[in-house]
Amino acid sequence: MIIDGKRLANNIMQDLKTQIEKEKAKPGLAFILIGEDPASETYVRMKKKACENHGFVSHIIKLTEKVSENDLLAKIEEVNKDSSIHGLLVQQPIPKHISTTKVMHAVAPSKDVDGFHPMNMGKLLLGEDDGFFPCTPFGITKLFDHEKIETASKHVVIIGRSNIVGKPLAALLMQKKSYGNATVTVVHRGTKNIKSICKTADILVAAIGKPHFVTKDFVKDGAVVIDVGINRVKSDGKVKVVGDVDFSSVEASVSKITPVPGGVGPMTIAMLLYNTYKSFKCS
Ligand code: NAD
């Protein structure tokens, strides 16, 4: 019943490692990390470790919180031109004095392994597979495939419309592809009757950033529940990571569910490496 994202992610990364061992050169991935945000530092550290363990060369470019927009854009351009680097990720959030849009546009589409550049988002929407899909939604489609969770003709409800999860996942799942053919509803802050809409979902995806938001009364009996949320909460004086789904409240009603941690999170990292290897092979 519990979908083991950690195991599938490890299998995918192990396969990549085996492929890379046969190559003469190594795929390179650069991270631009701005400021001292502890969560961003943790994410980048985890991604770097995954690179090191699976044959990728990684570089962390640390910039201060006060870096100017021009200096950041110049650094991105430098990495764009570096032929030893096949993927570039600018860790979000980006300081408020810098335009996130300008940064997303500045990363070369051919190195945009996060899949956030308008060129890659456009390709996703058009059903073209030769760009890069954003890692979290891409990882969710891989989980469906591995777990033999049929999406065709199913009603998928996604809670959250962010550019990095909700919107691209909706676009992927509605494509006329093996990973798509679903009927997709996206609910968000502007939606009325969220609970009753969620209750009609065959597959419910929570991507909101609110701890334990989804409870039993959101979930139809036998539904599949995908929990994207990563929320740090204090419990008994310790910081714990919990999802957007109240696992203990819904587990009796679901047919399958992703845990937090160990569900979608590891798949996001695996797909980042997958995209970087794809970029390396196309370079
Ligand atoms: P975001 O803040 O950009 O977007 C949140 C969305 O949720 C918004 O569209 C908003 O309308 C909606 N929302 C918020 N409160 C709501 C409410 N009360 N009712 C209805 N809709 C509501 O967030 P994001 O970047 O998409 O991330 C969402 C969560 O997923 C966060 O916890 C984040 O840490 C996590 N995340 C996890 C991974 C992973 O690899 N597992 C990757 C990306 C994000």
Side-chain angles (χ1 to χ4, degrees), residues 52-111:
E52 283 164 0
N53 290 342
H54 299 94
F56 291 75
V57 177
S58 65
H59 312 265
I60 299 182
I61 300 161
K62 277 204 87 172
L63 301 173
T64 73
E65 180 79 29
K66 293 200 171 96
V67 66
S68 70
E69 188 175 270
N70 281 344
D71 285 352
L72 173 60
L73 295 176
K75 184 52 82 178
I76 292 173
E77 194 47 32
E78 201 184 295
V79 179
N80 283 342
K81 288 186 179 142
D82 183 338
S83 60
S84 72
I85 295 178
H86 307 91
L88 167 60
L89 182 157
V90 184
Q91 184 65 42
Q92 296 199 35
I94 291 164
K96 290 206 165 43
H97 65 278
I98 297 173
S99 156
T100 304
T101 307
K102 275 194 194 167
V103 170
M104 297 299 108
H105 287 225
V107 175
S110 61
K111 296 191 179 186

Side-chain angles (χ1 to χ4, degrees), residues 115-222:
F116 296 161
H117 190 283
M119 170 89 89
N120 286 313
M121 283 286 185
K123 286 188 175 207
L124 185 165
L125 200 58
L126 295 170
E128 296 172 21
D129 292 338
D130 63 338
F132 298 110
F133 295 155
C135 301
T136 304
F138 192 17
I140 293 172
T141 65
K142 293 279 181 194
L143 281 175
F144 289 157
D145 182 43
H146 182 259
E147 294 288 318
K148 302 194 171 30
I149 296 167
E150 191 61 62
T151 52
S153 309
K154 294 289 159 59
H155 184 207
V156 182
V157 176
I158 302 169
I159 321 176
R161 59 177 160 187
S162 72
N163 288 341
I164 66 170
V165 187
K167 279 188 211 166
L169 180 62
L172 276 173
L173 294 178
M174 73 167 88
Q175 297 300 329
K176 208 172 177 180
K177 302 271 183 182
S178 57
Y179 50 77
N181 277 315
T183 303
V184 184
T185 303
V186 181
V187 302
H188 44 76
R189 277 207 185 90
T191 308
K192 283 185 185 159
N193 305 323
I194 287 188
K195 239 183 239 186
S196 54
I197 296 170
C198 291
K199 194 96 187 171
T200 66
D202 302 307
I203 300 173
L204 179 62
V205 183
I208 32 181
K210 297 262 180 307
H212 298 160
F213 181 86
V214 173
T215 49
K216 188 175 184 301
D217 42 348
F218 283 68
V219 179
K220 179 167 88 174
D221 268 352

Side-chain angles (χ1 to χ4, degrees), residues 10-27 51 53-56 273 277 280-281:
N10 282 336
N11 290 345
I12 291 171
M13 293 190 293
Q14 208 51 50
D15 285 349
L16 291 172
K17 187 179 179 183
T18 308
Q19 296 295 320
I20 292 167
E21 279 164 1
K22 295 179 200 149
E23 307 281 355
K24 285 196 187 89
K26 300 270 172 261
C51 284
N53 290 342
H54 299 94
F56 291 75
L273 269 52
Y277 184 64
F280 167 77
K281 289 302 278 179

